[in-house]
Amino acid sequence: MVFMHANASHCPLCHQPNHCALAAQRESDTCWCHHQEFPPKAQLSKAQLPKAIAPDVCICQACAEALRLEVKLGVKRVD
């Protein structure tokens, strides 16, 4: 089953608020993500970042941290 995420203000992975400045119609440089480092997309497995996620929808801080930790530990999701 594939879920398409239609609300840009919610994380497409956990469906919680993502606190995206752009979705809240604020300046992009005020967004929390501008102060974060993200793992390279090539290091993420397909299970970690499904194709059904629109490229212009932001994940939340909790999911970003979980992805960073999974990449650091070399964890591969099976869900």
Side-chain angles (χ1 to χ4, degrees):
M1 179 180 239
V2 176
F3 292 97
M4 294 303 289
H5 190 66
N7 189 340
S9 65
H10 285 77
C11 176
L13 300 175
C14 69
H15 306 288
Q16 297 300 312
N18 60 16
H19 305 290
C20 177
L22 290 177
Q25 298 180 349
R26 295 190 317 262
E27 294 294 323
S28 64
D29 61 346
T30 65
C31 196
W32 67 268
C33 71
H34 281 263
H35 310 287
Q36 304 293 313
E37 285 189 35
F38 294 92
K41 196 172 184 179
Q43 290 182 357
L44 300 174
S45 72
K46 290 179 183 177
Q48 290 168 315
L49 201 56
K51 285 184 179 180
I53 295 174
D56 58 344
V57 177
C58 297
I59 63 174
C60 67
Q61 287 177 293
C63 286
E65 181 58 34
L67 290 174
R68 275 194 297 274
L69 184 59
E70 289 172 11
V71 168
K72 180 180 177 181
L73 297 175
V75 174
K76 300 287 185 189
R77 287 186 186 206
V78 293
D79 57 343

